[in-house]
Structures are given as structure tokens and as C-alpha cells.
Amino acid sequence: MLTAIVFLPLLGAIIAGFFGRQIGDRGAQIVTCGAMGISAILGVIAFIEVALGGEPRTVRLMNWISSGTFEVDWALRFDTLTAVMVIVVTVVSTCVHVYSVGYMSHDASKPRFMAYLSLFTFAMLMLVTADNLVQLFFGWEGVGLASYLLIGFWFHKPTANAASIKAFVVNRVGDFGFALGIFGVYMLFDSVQFDVIFAAAPDVAGQTMEFLGFQWDALTIVSILLFIGAMGKSAQLGLHTWLPDAMEGPTPVSALIHAATMVTAGVFLVARMSPMMEYAPTALEVVTVVGALTAFFAATIGVCQTDIKRVIAYSTCSQLGYMFFALGVGAYPAAIFHLMTHAFFKALLFLSAGSVIHAIHDEQDMRNMGGLWRKIPYTYAMMWIGSLALAGIPFFAGYYSKDIMLEAAFGAHSAVGTFAFWMGIAAAVLTAFYSWRLLYLTFHGTPRMDQHTFDHAHESPPVMMGPLVVLAIGAIFSGFVGYEHFVGDGEAAFWGASILMLAREGGENILEMAHHVPTWVKLLPFVMGLIGIGVATLAYVLRPGIPAATAKAVRPLYLFLLNKWYFDEAYDWLFVKRSWQLGQIFWRHGDQSFIDGFGPDGIASMARALAGRASALQSGYVYHYAFAMLIGVSALISWYIVFGG
Amino acid sequence: MLEDWLLTLVTFLPLVGVGFILITTRGDEEEASTAAKQMALLTTGCVFLLSLLIWVNFDATTADFQLVKRIEWIPGSSISYHVGVDGISMWFVLLSTFLTPICILASWDAIKTRVREYMIAFLVLETMMVGMFVSLDILLFYVFFEGVLIPMFLIIGVWGGANRVYAAFKFFLYTLTGSVLMLVAILTMYGIAGTTDIPRLMEAGFSPDLQFWLWLAFFASFAVKVPMWPVHTWLPDAHVEAPTAGSVILAGVLLKMGGYGFLRFSIPMFPDASAYFAPLIFGLSVVAVIYTSLVALVQKDMKKLIAYSSIAHMGFVTIGMFTMTTQGVEGSIFQMLSHGIVSGALFLCVGVVYDRMHTREIDAYGGLANNMPRYALVFMVFMMASVGLPGTSGFVGEILILVGAFQASTWLAALTATGLILGAAYMLYLYRRVIFGALEKDSLKALVDLNRREIAIFAPLLILVFWMGIYPSTFLDLMAVSVDNLITNYTVALGEAAGPALAAK
């Protein structure tokens, strides 16, 4: 059964991908959605058995690589952490599959799209069920491939192609760190198997290791390297530039890959490695700071974007930052809890945005929207639910998970924890602000599109609305239902051995400390959310002149945010242009002028020059030859007489 | 009985095919060339099947040479015809016999002139390649090693592109210069050890000072073949001018001769010098990985781009083998096999569109995914294998090499791993320009997707890429004992050398 969960999507992908023409569009959709649906049902059963029943297990499939002591198996590891991820992935993926049937109804290559989606799901499931780092890397790169294919799905669009390459290459930069981290782990533990690593981690703590000429605390450097991989996949500050561009892909892709599942792989990785990370406190501080900065930084950009999908993309980036600082202070369950609730409400937001885009014929710019709420009331309601959950309004899912993360950051009583707390609070205001800005710009005010489009705006078909309802249920209830198990009193029994949290001073673990923070800390995020909503209402409903005036007043800041802190420009100048230049120099000057010039061509031309001189002697006149011969003969005779005798 | 003669049979069966072609294909030009093609395909197919018997008969539990056959060649000189395989060379024999029929098939329609001679050249080439990998006598090895150049030189020079003569001469000049030095070294070794027998030479134990010079002489030859930076510039030209099948063999097998040479001669026979020069190899290889990847990024010619990527990938190989760790060496052998398949396949991919359009300019293409979906898929798989995506053969080699490199030096691993990023950049950029985009150029609109023959060519390559990626143990297990033996002998030899040196102090 566990094997079926993982491989059913692959089967669906193969059938739809290779036999799409034989079984037709409808056939491909039925096969992939069916396989996904079964996989999701089995995923729920597995969750009940493994997580609630407390029976972790591992299915070994076969040997993969074995070279000396470097042993890697294909194996599926199911513990609570995996079961949670599996349920999130399969449920959201099923929703997205079904939604895509409607969303892509006008597209020419439906089987290909469905195949890619299923392929992605397979890779993601391989990632979360891995029982060693290398298989995790397989899934890691596999989702990268699927993401590349799906971002570039509309391959006739140059922007989509550029975005897909960017996504792959930037992720590779992260993978570079990840790979080195794997090698480091192997050096330290002589294994890449999770069980072996986790068992030996306490003994390895404190050892040092040489890396790039410096002596480091071994676990710290290895953890940081792995975290660089996580930064790439989860679009953290510095390696985030690919995520907004990835919105070039079809909207269901953004919902599934770039909001709910793939981008959270980094969070999963750190949580998975918690038994090792706990012994590398310095690395965790790095994680906290990066997460906190990203949470704030991405939220500031989200405030200024005009593309509806990009706003949500930056929001994702920011929410991932929250998860990372929660991981950084050691509250792994809180991060995974938010990962789950976020998957529901962010997928809901994206698919609702897709529904809006679908309704008004592929328009994504919010400046050309407005007044749509009467036309598409259900989508409007869904968007509200998603936004309420995102802003952390009480009793919606996000409220529970976001609060526990902020409380943990505060409760950690460390410098970085407090820093993360305040960054998180600042980001919370911005989050609420941009969410309501999005709502108002899209659904309220006067319509800013042409009359024809507005008149033809229509609610999406049931096949798209169904999944939205499912996700909305998740966005409302998943926090309330999961709280007790994930981060409440039942936490220890629920997670079992899959996550390790060392006891802090006073013998409490971080979650207990989080529960004991002052009341104002618990209330602050909610108040901040309300302030954000209030400001947005003021600026976009009551006094619509404010945004333009503000933008004018602080123009440099506005431009700075609008241009996304100029990261793209800086990277382009620093890396892309330089690589190109170096390539040209190496080729034109290195290879052609220098090596060839002195090497083969030089020798050849020298030979040619010599031959040319020699041939000048061959004039073709008989008396020249006769003369030469005479001189030669006399020289020979003289030589013989002088030396021969 | 068969086992005794198996290697010899595999080596020389192609020459029998040559004989048949010479005898039977007379008369009408058209008929003769068809008959020659069929005969060549049949012969190489049989050779491949026969070579599978080597695999079947191979005993993976011993590091000794197997299927050995030895005959006195020049009486009284100890120079003999001596062949055999171990867990390392067997794979290269199979790689050669596997790729040759594919090359014949790939040339089916592409070669229009002097078809008979072309087929003969390929059959002779196969004999030379296989002979080189099975030789257990260094002089015999040298004969085959140099012999390979001749048919290859002809294939480029006669059936190549516009600038073929320049490329052929450049190829010949580079490779021959190295070989001359190697011959001198071989004669020196014969003078000292009194034998040309490879297994005995491995035990000869040359003095460290002599090793220094011998190593350099062999290095001059092998480095050109690999090719290592900065003696790599013949490769892009040779690839660009060679016909598709020539490129496949060039990338698939000929480049492996250098790597094989290091494993068979430099490391076991000159262990001290190998240890001494390892940093040099690492330095040159790292430069190769970064430098040629950057150069690949700016290429406008498809074949040149893939040629430069080959140099970068071979940089990984040389790094892996000189780390002298189990993972590094196994990884480098595996990477050579994988690269043989993948880069061969990439050249075939270029060949497919070249046959239709007769240009290799990247700018002349774009949007092929629209009318050639099957081609796009095949190209995608091989591109991803070249980038080293897990699940394909490229990944296994790369990760093992990097694991080995990390143990040798973290700097080495970090610098080499930049190849992962750059590799992705240039391959994806190539793919985007050729396959993706809108189909706007009129000349491309009429292109048809892969035909049956082409599918038949790619199918076995695709299967292998995934097989090697998902279950590489098939291959790794068989080489494990030989590699262990190589490393053990190396460490022991180093230990002995260190002993007296320390005692002297």
C-alpha cells in the first residue's frame, strides 16, 4: 500500500504521457486524476496507521548505489513527519489535478500537462518518503525537473522559457550546497542513511572538520550546507529570485508546486534533519536569521506588486520565511504545522486567483481588474477565506499555526529568536495589508477592464469550484483540528521519533516555552493583522488617493520595493553577464588565440613558412638546379677531403 | 575452448566482415553500398552479441585478468600476443561493441559517397578499439592505440564537413605528438623490466625517479586523448567536422582511451609519480570543468557546445580516478561509461536535425517541440542525463566522483561541483534555443519527427541511461573487486616507497 501511494502517480504520468494520443484528452485526465485520488485515499489511511496509530515503518525496495561503504537504497520511510507530508501532497495534488481539468480546458496539450503534474507528485512523494539523503536528493531534483517543465509548459512564450531555466539554475546553486552537505555527512558518519546519522549525531557533536581551508564545527558546517540547498528550493533570501518568475507557469502549477508542496521541501529537509540540526545550534541561528529576513523582505515587496500571482508568490516566500525561523528556534512541529495549513490556504488563494484569471481571459494585472465580486461571488468568497487564514484571523487555520511560530520565536528568549519575532510581527502587518489590497483591487471599486471582458466575466465550472471547496474546508478547519496533535499537549505522542527537540533550560522543550509566553505576545499578531486590514481598507476603499500619494512621497523606497530590491539586476550583472564575458574570453582568447596560436596552428604555420622558403628555391629553371647541384657536390667533396681523410 | 578464443574472436571478427565486404560487394554502386551496409550491420551486431558472452563468462569475485590468451609473437623477446579483461576493461569492450552497430545504423542515410569504404573504416576501427582494451601486452596495446587513429583520421578527413582537412590534421598532430613520447617510455620500460607484459610490468616497481619521467611521457599521450585542458582544442574541431557516427565514436570511446590508460598504466605502474602529480591533474581538471563549461555557454554551433561539455565531463573523470578512493575511481569508470552513452546520444540528436537541415547553427533552429515531440522528449532525456539528474546514468558517476573528491579535498569538491551549476546552464540554454520557442522559421516547419530507424537507434540508449541511473549495481558490482585491487596495490606501493624514504631520513 505504501508503495502504491508513491508509484500510482508515476503510473498515471507514464500512461498519460506516452499514450495520451491513444486514450485522448479525457482518458488522460481520468487516468491521472484517478491514480491521484486513489493515492490520496491510501495516503489518508497511511496517515491514520502511521501517525495516529504510532507505527512508523520502512519499505525497502532495492539497492541503488553501492560503492565501497557508500551504500544507498531505494526505500520508503513512513513516520509521522512523512505521513503528514504525504497527506498534504496527495490531497492538494488531487485538488489541483481535478481543477486543471477545467482550467486547462482550452489548452491543446492536456495529456502532457496532466502527465507533468503526476510526475511532479511522484517526485515529491519520493522526496518525503526518502530514508536517506541521496534518495531525498533524487526527489529534490525530480521536483526541480517537473517544476522546470511546468514553468516552461507554454514553451512558445520566451518569458516562460527564461523563467524555467532560471528556476532550474538557481535551484542548482542551492543543490550545490546540498550536495556538498551530503558529502560532508558521508565523511562524518560514513553513511547517508537517516537512521545511522541520527543515532550517531550526539557522538559527532563537537568534532571539527576542515572545509575550504577553515576548521569548522563539523555538524554546523554540514547543516549550513544542507540549509543552502533548502534555501534554493524554498526561495529564501538570496536564492528567491526564481520564485516570482515561476509564475509564468499555468496557475494550477503555481498552486501545487510553488505554494503548497515543492517550495516547502526545504522546510521538510530541515525538520527531517532535526535530530542532527539540534546539535548544531550555530547553524540553527543562521536558519533563524535567514528565515526572519525573508519573511520581512518578501512581504515588503508583496505590498507593491501589481500582478495578482506575484503578490501571492511573494506572500509564499514570506510565509516560508516564517517556517524557517520557527525551525531555527527549534520549533520544528510548529513549522510543519504551518506548512500544512499554509498548503491549504495558499493553494486556495492561488486557485482562486486562477479562477479570477480564467474568468477575465488571462488577465493577471490587478490594475485591470476591479468590481468583480458581483460577477464571481463564489470565487470572491473563497478568496476571503484564504485571506483570512493567511492574515491569521482567529479560528481560521493560519491563526493557530502562525501564532505558535511567533510565540516559539519569542519564547526561545534568544537574540535571534527575538529578532525573528519582531520581523514576524512586522511582516504580519504587511501580510494583512497586501492581502486586503489584493481583495479590494480585484473585487471592489470600479471595473478597470474593458466593458466586453467585464460583461463576459463568468464563474468557473463546478470541476474547478469543487477543489476550491475542499481546500477552503482545509483552510478553515485544519488549524483547529490539528493544533492539539501538532503543537499542543499531544505533540510528543504524535511526532514520536520523527522529530527531535532537545530540552532547553528548565527542562522544557521549545513548544512548552512557547505556550508560556505573556498574553500580549499571543494577542499581538492578531492586532497587527487587524491594523494591516484597516490600513488597506483606508487606502483602497475609503481614501483611494492615498497609495499614489504615498508612492510619490517616498518614491525611492517605492521604486526599491517595486523593483524587488534590485536582486535580479544585481545577479544579472554579477553572474550572468560575467559568465558570458568569461566564456567569450576563454574561447576567443584562451582557446583560439593562445592555445591554438602557439600550439597546432603556430606549428603548422611555422612549417608552412619553412616550406614556403624551401619552395622558393624551386624556381623551375634548369640552370638553378644545376648550380645548386654543383655547389652541393663541391661541398661534399671538400668535406670529405677535410674530415674524411 | 570458446572462452580461450572469445576475446580474440570479438577483436578480429570485424575484419572478417571487412573481408566479406571486399569480396562480395562488387558491381553496381547502389547495390554494393546497400550490401556493404547490411554486411557491416550484421557483423557489428554479431560482435556485440558475442561480446555479451564476455559479460556472461565474467567472474566478478577476482581481480585477475580473465579469458586470457597468450601466444608468442616475436620469439625470444618476450613480446607476445596477450589478451584478457578485468572488471575495468570489460566495460570498455562492451561500450565499444555496443556503440559500433548504433553508429552503422546512424550512418545509414547520412553517408552517400564511398559507402563501402566508410563501412570498412568503421569495422577496422572496431577491431582497433576492442583490441586496445583487451591488450595485455604493452606493445600490442601501443599498436592498437595508434591504429585507432588511422580509421578515425580517414573518417574525419574523407567524410567530414567543409573544414575537414584542417580538423583531421589537428587531431592527428595532437594525438601523435603524445604517442611518440609514450613509445619512448615503453621502450625504456622494456629495457629495464625486460618484458612488455602488462601484468608483469605492474609488478616491476620502477624507481621513483624513473617513474617521474615515464609518468610524464604517458601523460603526454593520455592527456591529449582525454582531452585535458590545455591540450583540448583539437576536440571541438574534430567533432564539428566529423560525420555524426564519427563524433559518436570519438566521444563515446576514443576519449575513454586516455582515462583507461591512466587506470591501466599510470596508476598501477607509476604509483609514486601518480601521487606526486595528482595535484597537477586536479588543477588541470578543475580548470577544464569551469573553463570549458563557460566556453560551452557561448557557443553558437551545437556540436561545438556538446564537444566542450564533453571536455568538462571528462574533467570529472580525471579528478575521480586520481582521488584514489573507491568512490572516486568507480565513479570515474562509471562516468566514462555513462558519458560514452550520453554524449554519443547527444551527438546523434544533433545528427537527426543535421540530416534534415544540414546546419549545426543553433540560431537556425527553434520551436522543434511543436512538430517533433518525440525528438524533443528524447533530447530532453539525454540533456537531463548530461546535466546529471538523479535517476539517469549521469548522476551516479558524478556523485561518486564528488564523494571521492570531497575526501581528497573540500576545495576540490567545491570547485568541481560548480560544474553542476554551469552544466545545467549551458545545456538548458541549448535546449531552449533548439526545441522551445515558437515555430517561426519556414524551413523548419516541414521537418518530420523521428522515423523508425532513428527510434531504433535511440531506444537502446534510452534504456541504458535509465538502467544505469536506477540500478547501477549491475555495473558497479562487477568492477568493485578490480577497483579495490587497484587501490590496494597503489596504497601498498606508496607505503613501500615511503618506508625507505623515511628510513633514509
Side-chain angles (χ1 to χ4, degrees), chain A residues 63-64 67 74 155 591 596 601, chain B residues 166 170 233 291 308 437 469 473:
Chain A
N63 171 263
W64 184 13
S67 168
W74 292 108
F155 55 77
D591 267 21
D596 276 357
D601 290 356
Chain B
Y166 170 74
K170 201 167 173 181
T233 61
Y291 178 111
Y308 274 108
S473 298

Side-chain angles (χ1 to χ4, degrees), chain A residues 436-557:
Chain A
W436 263 262
R437 171 176 176 264
L438 187 153
L439 278 174
Y440 293 138
L441 281 177
T442 310
F443 294 101
H444 293 268
T446 46
R448 290 179 297 277
M449 69 221 67
D450 60 62
Q451 195 58 40
H452 175 81
T453 317
F454 185 72
D455 290 342
H456 286 80
H458 54 86
E459 193 60 272
S460 302
V463 71
M464 288 167 68
M465 294 313 287
L468 288 184
V469 173
V470 175
L471 291 171
I473 293 170
I476 299 172
F477 297 109
S478 64
F480 173 70
V481 173
Y483 190 81
E484 195 56 28
H485 285 301
F486 277 74
V487 291
D489 295 334
E491 162 267 313
F494 180 72
W495 293 106
S498 63
I499 280 177
L500 175 73
M501 288 184 290
L502 292 179
R504 304 297 164 89
E505 68 269 27
E508 291 183 313
N509 74 20
I510 182 75
L511 286 180
E512 286 155 351
M513 291 159 79
H515 291 310
H516 299 155
V517 294
T519 314
W520 68 267
V521 173
K522 298 192 177 186
L523 283 176
L524 193 59
F526 171 54
V527 175
M528 286 300 165
L530 287 184
I531 293 175
I533 297 172
V535 174
T537 315
L538 182 71
Y540 289 93
V541 180
L542 303 176
R543 296 266 184 285
I546 292 181
T550 322
K552 208 172 218 169
V554 287
R555 191 162 174 75
L557 178 68

Side-chain angles (χ1 to χ4, degrees), chain B residues 73 77-79 132 135-146 178-198 201 204 206 210 213-219 221-222 261 265-266 269-270:
Chain B
W73 184 13
S77 68
S78 89
I79 298 171
M132 191 202 70
S135 294
L136 287 185
D137 185 280
I138 200 164
L139 213 67
L140 188 66
F141 170 84
Y142 185 77
V143 170
F144 283 123
F145 190 80
E146 295 309 307
S179 307
V180 171
L181 289 169
M182 187 169 88
L183 183 63
V184 175
I186 290 174
L187 294 176
T188 317
M189 287 161 71
Y190 177 57
I192 291 172
T195 177
T196 55
D197 200 47
I198 290 176
L201 281 173
F206 298 102
L210 188 65
W213 295 109
L214 292 175
W215 192 93
L216 279 179
F218 275 85
F219 174 71
S221 180
F222 296 149
F265 301 98
S266 302
M269 293 181 192
F270 322 128

Side-chain angles (χ1 to χ4, degrees), chain A residues 34-54:
Chain A
M36 243 358 278
I38 298 170
S39 173
I41 292 166
L42 294 175
V44 173
I45 298 173
F47 178 80
I48 293 168
E49 281 183 13
V50 171
L52 301 181

Side-chain angles (χ1 to χ4, degrees), chain B residues 218-274:
Chain B
F218 275 85
F219 174 71
S221 180
F222 296 149
V224 168
K225 283 284 191 321
V226 167
M228 294 177 71
W229 185 86
V231 287
H232 64 279
T233 61
W234 62 270
L235 186 73
D237 284 310
H239 268 310
V240 166
E241 300 304 331
T244 302
S247 289
V248 174
I249 289 292
L250 199 55
V253 183
L254 261 62
L255 300 193
K256 313 305 174 299
M257 289 162 56
Y260 173 74
F262 281 129
L263 286 172
R264 179 63 79 231
F265 301 98
S266 302
I267 292 172
M269 293 181 192
F270 322 128
D272 299 303
S274 295

Side-chain angles (χ1 to χ4, degrees), chain A residues 30-258:
Chain A
I30 291 170
V31 167
T32 47
C33 293
M36 243 358 278
I38 298 170
S39 173
I41 292 166
L42 294 175
V44 173
I45 298 173
F47 178 80
I48 293 168
E49 281 183 13
V50 171
L52 301 181
E55 284 178 23
R57 68 188 82 154
T58 302
V59 183
R60 186 178 175 279
L61 299 175
M62 63 180 195
N63 171 263
W64 184 13
I65 303 173
S66 64
S67 168
T69 56
F70 190 78
E71 291 270 1
V72 182
D73 282 340
W74 292 108
L76 307 177
R77 174 195 175 102
F78 273 82
D79 57 12
T80 305
L81 181 58
T82 300
V84 171
M85 292 301 290
V86 165
I87 210 166
V88 169
V89 172
T90 52
V91 170
V92 176
S93 180
T94 309
C95 290
V96 170
H97 270 76
V98 174
Y99 179 91
S100 303
V101 172
Y103 191 82
M104 301 300 280
S105 57
H106 304 302
D107 201 274
S109 32
K110 293 179 204 99
R112 185 163 64 96
F113 185 76
M114 302 309 282
Y116 286 173
L117 278 186
S118 287
L119 177 70
F120 165 79
T121 313
F122 162 71
M124 190 70 204
L125 289 170
M126 283 301 269
L127 193 162
V128 298
T129 57
D131 94 319
N132 59 65
L133 279 170
V134 181
Q135 187 185 330
L136 201 151
F137 194 68
F138 167 84
W140 193 266
E141 292 269 285
V143 293
L145 168 71
S147 156
Y148 162 78
L149 292 171
L150 283 165
I151 296 170
F153 181 75
W154 288 315
F155 55 77
H156 50 84
K157 274 165 65 181
T159 46
N161 287 327
S164 65
I165 293 185
K166 186 170 173 185
F168 199 91
V169 174
V170 173
N171 266 297
R172 272 274 160 142
V173 176
D175 295 349
F176 166 80
F178 191 178
L180 289 175
I182 296 176
F183 308 144
V185 166
Y186 174 67
M187 274 275 271
L188 283 176
F189 297 96
D190 209 28
S191 172
V192 288
Q193 202 80 15
F194 287 142
D195 291 334
V196 181
I197 297 170
F198 297 161
D203 304 330
V204 173
Q207 283 186 21
T208 59
M209 178 174 174
E210 185 269 347
F211 184 74
L212 301 190
F214 294 97
Q215 286 294 328
W216 304 74
D217 177 64
L219 287 182
T220 303
I221 185 65
V222 167
S223 301
I224 288 176
L225 286 171
L226 291 177
F227 175 60
I228 291 173
M231 283 172 68
K233 205 46 94 198
S234 295
Q236 292 299 288
L237 188 62
L239 294 177
H240 65 281
T241 55
W242 65 272
L243 183 60
D245 289 22
M247 297 302 128
E248 289 291 340
T251 308
V253 173
S254 314
L256 176 62
I257 300 186
H258 305 121

